[in-house]
Amino acid sequence: MNTEQPEERRERQGSEEGRPIGRRVLLGTIGLGALGVVAAPTLQRGMEAFLGTVSGKDPTGLTGLLPNGGGFRYYSVAASVPHKGPADYRLSIDGLVDNPRTYTLADLRALPQTRLVKDVQCVTGWRVPGTPFEGVRLSHLLDAAGVRGTGKAIRFTCFDGAYTESLTLEQARRADVLVALRMQDKDIGHDHGGPVRLYVAPMYFYKSAKWLSGITVTDHVQPGYWERLGYDVDAWVGRSNGRSDDPTS
């Protein structure tokens, strides 16, 4: 996952490489998640800011194993990620569409917004209940682009230059899939994948790509970053990756 997701740091090694269970075993072995840090709001914000900054400069990924009061973990598959804001952020929609377009942050904010409050579930086990996300339904952007009859899937790219994800066209048109601009009732910050990220409510969080920059309609599913290393392409919470978590949507 490209955001706070432990799905996004290559911790799998040896014979388990490329399989989700390898990362869960590693997390369990280290046991840091059991610390269960509970912080006052001010301390929590400080911890989140610290972990976000440090993890962005940590090539080992071990800082991502540290818990914080907000429940999220911070991960990136790139050594560094540029910061973008209203002046330079762009989201392109292209591929098998009749009306390719590039959106600015202001363009996206001007579109009808949908707010969802769902649990966030990581494939490695941690869960953040009742997390609000707000943004533009992906289906709205696809309808505006005019998907051609040969379009069957979506490929997502990110401005970290490394992360990719995918959905089938049917999955992408669900009402609980957003191009998200807000999270926890505030604009999405850089460490959480802002200013714009994907949010796929019913799937494990690695599908909700951070730092979203491109939406390309394709004629077949192209597995994303972690799927190429062994994660399930259809990542329904509780029905994939060998897990039985309660559904989030």
Side-chain angles (χ1 to χ4, degrees), residues 50-65:
F50 169 76
L51 290 176
T53 299
V54 173
S55 65
K57 300 176 181 178
D58 173 24
T60 69
L62 294 179
T63 52
L65 302 179

Side-chain angles (χ1 to χ4, degrees), residues 82-94 101-109 141 156-160 179-181 193-197 210-215:
H83 287 246
K84 292 185 180 291
D88 58 356
Y89 177 77
R90 299 293 184 271
L91 174 64
S92 63
I93 301 183
D94 55 22
R101 178 173 176 179
T102 298
Y103 290 86
T104 65
L105 194 55
D107 292 334
L108 293 171
R109 288 172 173 168
L141 299 178
F156 302 96
T157 50
C158 307
F159 63 80
D160 67 348
V179 171
L181 310 177
V196 179
R197 67 173 298 159
K210 290 167 47 174
W211 304 305
L212 185 64
S213 62
I215 298 172

Side-chain angles (χ1 to χ4, degrees), residues 66 146 235:
L66 295 172

Side-chain angles (χ1 to χ4, degrees), residues 189-203:
H190 176 79
D191 297 325
H192 282 287
V196 179
R197 67 173 298 159
L198 188 65
Y199 176 53
V200 185
M203 293 190 176

Side-chain angles (χ1 to χ4, degrees), residues 96-222:
L96 300 175
V97 298
D98 293 325
N99 305 302
R101 178 173 176 179
T102 298
Y103 290 86
T104 65
L105 194 55
D107 292 334
L108 293 171
R109 288 172 173 168
L111 295 173
Q113 305 290 302
T114 296
R115 186 174 187 268
L116 301 174
V117 181
K118 307 285 185 182
D119 291 356
V120 168
Q121 178 69 53
C122 175
V123 74
T124 55
W126 58 264
R127 190 179 186 106
V128 182
T131 304
F133 280 87
E134 187 173 351
V136 182
R137 283 180 174 162
L138 178 55
S139 60
H140 179 97
L141 299 178
L142 294 174
D143 288 344
V147 177
R148 296 174 184 169
T150 51
K152 305 298 180 185
I154 313 294
R155 181 174 186 265
F156 302 96
T157 50
C158 307
F159 63 80
D160 67 348
Y163 201 76
T164 61
E165 254 310 330
S166 68
L167 291 172
T168 67
L169 186 60
E170 181 180 6
Q171 292 166 353
R173 289 192 179 280
R174 287 178 58 105
D176 53 4
V177 176
L178 302 180
V179 171
L181 310 177
R182 292 175 62 80
M183 173 182 164
Q184 297 176 315
D185 296 319
K186 56 191 175 187
D187 291 346
I188 299 177
H190 176 79
D191 297 325
H192 282 287
V196 179
R197 67 173 298 159
L198 188 65
Y199 176 53
V200 185
M203 293 190 176
Y204 285 105
F205 210 31
Y206 64 86
K207 301 296 290 190
S208 296
K210 290 167 47 174
W211 304 305
L212 185 64
S213 62
I215 298 172
T216 300
V217 179
T218 62
D219 60 3
H220 67 283
V221 170
Q222 299 178 27

Side-chain angles (χ1 to χ4, degrees), residues 20-72:
I21 185 64
R23 305 184 65 222
R24 292 200 298 274
V25 169
L26 177 60
L27 288 171
T29 300
I30 295 177
L32 290 174
L35 291 176
V37 173
V38 177
T42 300
L43 180 58
Q44 175 178 324
R45 288 193 296 271
M47 179 66 79
E48 289 183 351
F50 169 76
L51 290 176
T53 299
V54 173
S55 65
K57 300 176 181 178
D58 173 24
T60 69
L62 294 179
T63 52
L65 302 179
L66 295 172
N68 70 79
F72 286 93

